[in-house]
Structure formats: structure tokens, C-alpha cells
Amino acid sequence: MKTEIRVYFECLEQLLHYILPLVKEGIAESKIYAEIKFIRKPKRLTKANGSLSAIYSLTTPDILITLCKEGKEIPLLIGEFSEAVTTEDHELQRAMGGIAAALSRCIYLKISSQKISLKEHGGKKDFNPLTIPKIIKQSFDYYGYILGEWPTSDNNPCILKRDSIFLSCPPKSAIPIAEEILKQVVKEGLKNQDAIASNKTTIFDVIFPYLKNYEVYKKYLRVLESAPGIKELISDWQSRKGKGKNKEPRILLDESKLIVKINRFSHAADPDRGILIFASTLVPAEIVLTRYCVKQEYAKIVKLINGFVKQSLNEGLPKSFMLGLKRCLDKNLNEQIDITAFASQYKEEWEGNKVLSAIFLFSDGMVIHDKRNKTRVRLAWNRKKIFRMKTGMKDLLDNLFDFKKFDKPLKIAEVNDINEDEVSYIVMHKILRPNKFDIVSVSYPGAQGDAAILPGKTKGRKQSRMYIDIIAWFPKNSSSGNVLTLEESKDTFDEKEMKKLVERLNLFRTNKQMLNALVETLSRLNHKRKLEHIFIGVAFGAENIKTKWEPYKVDYLIRIFDRNKWQIAYFGKTLKNVFKIVEGRVDLPKVHRVIDSVNEPRFV
């Protein structure tokens, strides 16, 4: 096959307007032809594929750049865009990407937000993000974890400095080390493709001599050396105490035992699953336990187990596994129950589940307790028997997942559908901008942006955050310059889902608390115009839709046909003067998807 550079991506805007120009520069400087293919990020790889399956077993990166050469697909760079305020839990959650890169000897690039929050916030905020690359360097002798600092706005430390047109991207030249790494990885990967494909060297070994002489990287290494490492992290964790008589800290470490709290099983147990994987892999402890709270009071273990099973099912754990576990526990009621035999017997039930596979692989048991932390039961298992472990966690991961094995390129096919990310991209760049709307913010599924709306500001750290796909002012040259539009995008039309979206958006017109939260967000983003009215729009990929839906609360609809054409329908004379362009071509690039889908074991 011809030499290919593949870019697996989540956010189309970041791909086309940040990653792609640098990939093209790298190819041009290598003077070697390579075809570039764009591939939607797979949620999981169910077919064993050596290093790629290994990487996706630990993380699902925002960007993965690979080289296809001589029937092999070789990871060059794992990339993440992090827009969150820096907290310990966020940093530990993302550490899985760095571990995967260290094991596969590719480069890890994290573009990391420097913004602060003036609101009460969950998580330890005084955590040094360089602690993670420092510990990975100490543990793996790996210098390929690159942290690129995404700067904040010159006059507002709560929002990021963004490209003026492509809001999910940093401005050009804002993060020099990130741009240089992206370009050099592609350039050196192509120039050394034969040696890399034949396992004579790795992209890390090829690029490291260059990095050592790159002044920005040398400065980064000097700062990294002064950051806290494994010794300081262990000391910090050992010093932590719970807030209150019956409460324990999220992470508890003593001389022999590490306990990580799992707050929920839903949402892939993030960020706790990432914290568990990082801590279990890199922090020395004789016993690693997880802890889970059932949010009711129980006086007896049997009642606690019943509550645990019910709550776990509500949070998405597989029904057949949980009912089997309940039968096992009911037969062995005690304060500590060994479930090694059960876990081995039901392995096919849980090894494809991200949450359960992480818990079984990275811990030795789980402490389950009621909300008073008085009624408790400890489930225990022997990892060595379940996984036939003969070595430590780092070696086990390397051997279990084949991080250094380059397999055949993943099978891909061109997509013919459209997803929510692409719909929002089209609305932004093919409809609103050409119609001269003043964009406040865009929130893509993989790049949420700065416009978090906090309607429950009195709830402190428990408040919910709302993101609207697109917020924009009407054109200033229209008679409605102080009018705002709120727009939501979906990949396809679903009447029930669309009604929910519209009802949620309409709250900003009818609920004073919601409106005030929106105005506060606009002010925080330096958009302090007087808000006179709100118009609501929805957009979706359209086929032959038959519906009786009467969108009386919607002001305009945008339909996208066959990845080819868009068309807008609006209601009312006001919008006739606003939408000067009402249809056009979408001009999306050719995008592929992974079609490998063989059900084979997958952990984590």
C-alpha cells in the first residue's frame, strides 16, 4: 500500500484548522509523498490490532496520528486538547494517554488550558500539572510527554485565547512547542519510516535527539525537573484526611494500602477510572482497593448488597453480570467476600466493559458502604489468578496489550452519514458566519468551549453546567443587533429528542434564573450588550422525514442533506432580513470510519 498518514479525530474544526496545516508542513519538509486520511475517532476497537488496540484500551485520544507503511499501522502521536480548569482529578484522568504513549514509545502531546475559575470547584485546584509527566518520566524513563500550555485571554484569565474564526483552536503561534512537535513527528516519521516499520527504532527515539536541541523543549525539561514527582505525590496522599467523622478522602494511601473512591459507574466512571489506572500503575502499594458509596442508609449487609446492585444497574453496569454477582454474594454473606472464582467465570461478561475491566485489572477489591459509612462489605479478588499475572503492572500492561506490536492497518470506509460535530461545524462556518452573525461561543461534542452556563450558582460545587452548541448575536447591521440566537445541533432528526432540546432552550426565554445565568455567561465572555430577545434554532442531518411535529417554539430549522447541501426554513419576517443566504453546499472533506468490529476481548 502507499504510505499514509492517518489522523483519527473527534473535532473536525480542530482537525482542519489546527492539526492539518501542521501535518501538511511536516510532509512537505520530509519531501516524501504521503496521502492524508481523516478518520472519525472510534469509541472502541473490538478487533485486536496490536499497539492501536492497546492505546484504545487505556484511552480514547482526541487526536491520534499514525503512519501506514508496509502493511503496518504505527502510532506516531497521541494528542489531547484539555479546556478544563486544572485540578488533580482532571490531570490524573488524562494521565492514561501518557501511560499509553510511554508503553508504545510514541509521542504524547497534551494541549492544556491555563484558565482559572472564580467559582467553587470540585477537585484539588493547587495541583501542578507537570507532576504527571514528571512521574511518567521517573517510571518509564520516558521524555516524550509534552505539555503545551494554552494561554488565556489577555484581559480575562477565565477564558482561553482562541483563534478568531475557529474557536475550538488556539491561535497560530500561541503554543510553539505543540506546533513544532506535530510538524516534526510527521516529518521524522516519514523520513525514518522503513526503520520504524521494521522495529529498528521508534518515533520517540528518532525525534528525541532533535528535541534535546530544541530550545523551547530544553526549557520545558528544566521546568519539569523542578516539578513534584512520585515522592511528593505519595507524601501528599498519605497526609490526607476525610472531611468529617464518617468521610474518607477521594484518594487514601497508607504504608501498604491505596484506596480510590469511585463516585459513579455511569459516564465510564470518569474521572475516577483514570485516577485508579494511574495510581495502580505508578504508585507502589501492596493492596489497591476501590471504594463505592450506596446513597442510602442500611443496617444489614444483605440490604446494602441489594441497594448496591440496584444503584449499579441504574448507573449502567451490565444486568446479567450484576444479577450473577448478587447470587454469588447472597450465598456468601460476610463482611469480606472473595469473588475470584465468580470474576473468572464471568470474565466474558465484564471484560468488554470499561468500568468493570478497569476495576478488576487495577485493584484487588472494592469496599462498598452506605451513606453513613457504617455498614460495609468488602469484595476481594486475586488479580494474579484472573489475569495470570507474573510481573508488575507496567510489564503486565505491555504484555497484555501488545503496545509495541504493529499490526495491519485498521479497515476503514468512507462515511456517508453526518454527525453532530459536523452539523455544528456547518452551522458555524457555512450559515451563521456567511450571514454575518457575531459568534459568542461554539460547543462541539469534543470541544466544549468556555461558555458554561451555571443556572444553580447557589449550589456551589454541586451546580450543573449547561453548554449550548452555538450562541451568537444577530448581525449588527440588521435591525436586531441586540438579539441572540441559541442553536442546538443533532446528527439526525428525532422528534422526541428535538422536543426536549427546544423545551430546554425555551427556558432561557421563560425562566428568570436561566436567563440571568445566560446573561452572566455573556458578561464573563466579554459580551455585555443589552439582550433584547432570544431566537431558537435547531439543525440536523435530514433524510425523508415524516413527522407531525409543529415546532411552534422554534424560530428556524436547518436541514443538511447527504453531506452535500444545507437549507434553512425560518418563521417570521424578522428572520427574512437576517438570513440573506438560505441554502448552499456544505463542502465537507472526505472522512472515514473504522469498520473493524470483531468481538474479541478488550480490557479497560
Side-chain angles (χ1 to χ4, degrees), residues 505-517:
L505 292 180
N506 195 52
L507 286 174
F508 291 99
R509 296 195 286 207
T510 61
N511 183 292
K512 187 176 180 180
Q513 184 179 0
M514 297 287 283
L515 178 60
N516 289 340

Side-chain angles (χ1 to χ4, degrees), residues 37 81 89 104 160 166 184 186 205 237 296 333 402 407 417 549 551:
K37 288 189 175 177
F81 288 84
D89 53 356
S104 56
L160 292 173
F166 308 109
Q184 290 297 327
V186 174
D205 293 328
W237 285 358
Q296 290 190 43
L333 285 177
D402 289 325
D407 214 329
D417 63 343
W549 183 45

